[in-house]
Structures are given as C-alpha cells and as structure tokens.
DNA sequence: CGCATGTGAGACATTCATGTCTCACCGCGG
DNA sequence: CCGCGGTGAGACATGAATGTCTCACATGCG
C-alpha cells in the first residue's frame, strides 16, 4: 500500500474510502464498520468522522452508484443510433460499476416499503426509455415490457459481477456475455432469414 | 390468530414454518428470529426448538431450496426433447421456488470462502448440462458458456421474483418473460421460435 | 383422572455491532 | 516555539439479536 503523500491537513480521501467500501460490501454485504475501515486503511474513528454511521455510508454508496449510472447513461448516448448499439454502449460504460450496482440492487430489496432514492427512479426511466425506443423502432420485440427488460438488465449485471468475482466467467467477457444474452438470447439464430427443415 | 386444529402431539408443521420463513426472508433478508416466528404463527421458543439457531434455519432453507430445484429438474425432464423446450419446462417448474432461490442466491454471495452446500454444485451441473446439450445439438449458440447461461438463469429468476413481488411485472408473465429473454433475447428476430404448448 | 408431550410467554445472560468519548501523536503554519 | 487540525488507538455505554432457561397451560393417551 502507498503511504506516500500523507498530509496532515489532507482529509482522508473520501472517494477512496467509498470505493474500497463498495468493493468489500459487494463481496460481504454484512461487513462491519470495523472491517470497512480496515479495508480502507483508516481507523474506525476516522471512518465514523466522515460517515455518521452505517446508514450514512450505505446512502453515500447509493449516491455514488447513482452518479456512476447517470454518468454511464450520459456516456452511452442512449438516444443516438440503433437501440441495440446504445444498449451495448451502456453495458460497456456501466461495467466498472457493476459490482457496486449488484450490492445496491440486493440491498434495496430489503428496504421494503421505505422510500427509495428518487435517483433510481430516474435511472430506471432512462433505461426503460431506451428499451421503449428500441421497441418503437422495430428493433426490439414488444412482448417483453421495458420495465422487465430494465429489471433483467440489473439482474444480469449482478449475476455477471458475481460470476466474474468468483472466477466462473472471465472478466473480459463481461460485456459481451451480458449484451449478447440480453439482446440475442441463448438460441442460435440465423442472421439472415433462411429456411431449414 | 388461528387456534384451530391444534394437536398436542402434532409437532409444528416444519414445512409450513420453512415456507413462511422463506416468504418473509425473501422480502426482508435481515428479518429477526422473532419476526420469523411471528410470521409462522409460533413463538420464538418453539422456533428455536426446531431450528437450533438462525444458521440452522438458513441451512434448512437451503436444503429446501435444493430439494425444490432437484424436484423441478426431475419434473422438467431436461434430457428429453428439444433443449429449449426443456428450459421452458424447467423455468415453469422452478417458478414456485423462485423467491426462495432469489433469497438463497444473494445469501450465498456472503458466504465468501466458506464451503457451500454440495447440492448446489450438482444442480449447477445439471442445468449447465442442459445448456451444453442445447449447444451440442445446435440449438444454442456456443459463444455463451453453459456456466454463464446457468448464472444468468439464476439472475433472471431472482430479478423476476423481485419484480413480481414488487408489482413491476405480472405474476402470470413470470415464466414467459424469463424464458423468452433467456432464449430469444430482446431483439426482434425474423423467425421467432415457437413455444411448446 | 393423571401423566407425558409440545407449546407460549417471558426472564435472563451473552455476544456483537454500533455510536460516543477521551487521549496521544504528528505535521504544518503562525 | 506552540497551537491547531486531522488522525489512530482504545475505552465505554448502548441497543439489538441471540441462545438458554424456567414455568404455566393445553391436549391426547393410558
């Protein structure tokens, strides 16, 4: 680890703490504040100075995840070109945040009736809009609702992130596997319509 | 509370407790032993008499999930007929257990390095074998590994279960949406493969 | 009827994560 | 030189969940 450039006046790198916490909580969602602090290389006291409690930490992670999703959506230009290409760009852009997303996705399941961050609603809408655009342009089938396609994308991102972190699939194949499955499915289908017995 | 038909000699219906716990833990994975007991309509003491602790309860749920998966696999006859029809049967058979699977799937993520029940390995193998059979018969594309297709199936089952439980998709569409997305993908194909009735 | 069995209710100690606090250290700037 | 801000280490109390225990009650069976 790099102890270089420790300045007394320099506050602990908040972003570094958040990303370390994200990496840890992705693997062990019940990790202790103490474990999070150790993973980030700071003391529990300092961690608690920056994030009032575990809730605050999770909410900060949620904000980070939302920001990264928004950034990925912006970078993917979901309104340009073929919808399938936009989906491909989106998955590629969102890949670095997939592990964090997987954590937040499952974490949100236990918020039951509580109000969920409005940021997610906006992201859901943007992604669903992309699928809807693909349906209206005739690229995507219309019997799968945009809401379900959005949900399925989250699920595949989570599955992919876990599969990669446990070595069941290669990290390099992440985007390809998700995009190909989401768009093309498992069936082998001819590019050109052709007749076969 | 229903005191009806309380038999002294009759032990608390273990299966009923397990299924109630599964339903609750699916929605709130951090539910207390007390909440589980109340949900099952028994006291915490009785719950603790049947399951030594929370770990024992989760392991019992895991065994239940494994048994239901095995039963679904048996009922789906994965070695008969077209692979895509077998996948369709499998999803249909596994649908009732999808919520429990979703809970166990995310729960297993935090077992880190611990030994995981060997039952899952067997189920993984059987499902992967089905996808492999589909690849060898030429039905499924070969650029998506059986391991990834298996993982993706789990992810879609979890997403579907959550989406249904939160009302984002209709329960009746569960099987259709998962099978169609997993096999056919979101793209509109020139020749849509027909369903097994 | 009387006993055995299984249950509900609740008290109790224990463990653990959390949150708050104090104190010592260190580097910088006045 | 000395204060000041930020940190690390650790003590401490709190609360929650857990696990164990006891006692009273209900029901079926001999």
């Amino acid at each position: 680890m790099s102890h270089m450039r420790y300045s007394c006046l320099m506050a602990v790198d908040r972003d570094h703490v958040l990303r370390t916490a994200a990496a840890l909580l992705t693997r062990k969602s019940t990790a202790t504040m103490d474990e999070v602090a150790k993973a980030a290389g700071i003391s529990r006291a300092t961690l608690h100075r920056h994030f009032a409690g575990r809730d605050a930490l999770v909410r900060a992670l949620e904000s980070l995840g939302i920001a990264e999703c928004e950034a990925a959506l912006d970078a993917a230009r979901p309104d340009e070109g073929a919808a399938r290409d936009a989906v491909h760009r989106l998955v590629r852009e969102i890949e670095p945040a997939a592990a964090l997303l997987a954590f937040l996705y499952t974490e949100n399941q236990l918020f039951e009736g509580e109000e969920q961050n409005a940021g997610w609603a906006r992201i859901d809408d943007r992604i669903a809009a992309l699928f809807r655009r693909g349906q209206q342009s005739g690229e995507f089938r219309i019997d799968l609702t945009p809401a379900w396609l959005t949900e399925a994308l989250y699920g595949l991102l989570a599955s992919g992130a876990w599969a990669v972190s446990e070595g069941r699939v290669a990290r390099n194949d992440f985007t390809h596997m998700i995009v190909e499955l989401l768009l093309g499915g498992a069936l082998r289908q001819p590019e050109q319509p052709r007749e076969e017995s």
Side-chain angles (χ1 to χ4, degrees), chain A:
Chain A
M1 294 307 113
S2 57
H3 325 187
M4 53 186 180
R5 310 210 316 105
Y6 253 164
S7 171
C8 168
L9 289 183
M10 189 173 186
V12 163
D13 186 354
R14 179 188 166 97
D15 192 71
H16 169 254
V17 174
L18 277 179
R19 296 194 180 277
T20 308
L24 174 61
L25 289 174
T26 293
R27 294 193 308 269
K28 189 174 190 290
S29 62
T30 61
T32 301
M33 291 292 276
D34 202 64
E35 299 177 87
V36 173
K38 279 188 177 55
I42 63 177
S43 71
R44 195 165 68 96
T46 303
L47 175 61
H48 201 271
R49 282 187 192 101
H50 288 270
F51 304 96
R54 190 191 180 75
D55 289 348
L57 177 63
V58 172
R59 264 184 283 120
L61 283 174
E62 194 171 23
S63 296
L64 178 63
I66 290 174
E68 301 213 337
C69 276
E70 291 279 6
L73 272 163
D74 293 339
R77 308 184 311 277
D79 295 327
E80 295 182 18
R84 57 180 299 170
D85 294 334
V87 169
H88 192 284
R89 289 193 300 266
L90 175 59
V91 174
R92 195 197 309 137
E93 294 292 337
I94 220 171
E95 172 177 353
L100 175 58
L101 265 289
F103 164 68
L104 296 172
Y105 183 49
T106 58
E107 193 79 359
N108 279 343
Q109 301 306 327
L110 52 83
F111 278 178
E112 272 202 271
E114 303 178 20
E115 87 299 336
Q116 76 169 0
N117 197 314
W120 291 124
R122 175 175 164 77
I123 291 172
D124 286 354
D125 286 347
R126 294 184 68 181
I127 297 179
L130 169 56
F131 287 121
R132 195 171 299 109
R133 179 170 79 85
Q135 288 180 330
Q136 287 167 352
S137 74
E139 284 182 89
F140 296 164
R141 52 201 292 188
I142 59 173
D143 60 329
L144 300 178
T145 66
W148 164 239
L149 291 173
T150 304
E151 198 82 18
L153 173 59
Y154 291 147
L156 290 178
L157 285 171
S159 291
W162 286 329
V164 165
S165 80
E166 297 188 14
R168 288 197 289 270
V169 311
R171 168 159 274 118
N172 287 346
D173 296 340
F174 182 88
T175 298
H176 177 263
M177 286 190 156
I178 288 179
V179 172
E180 288 303 313
L181 183 60
L182 180 64
L183 295 184
L187 284 181
R188 183 167 162 232
Q189 284 161 354
E191 276 303 313
Q192 320 293 342
R194 62 184 165 88
E195 302 296 328
E196 87 268 40
S197 55

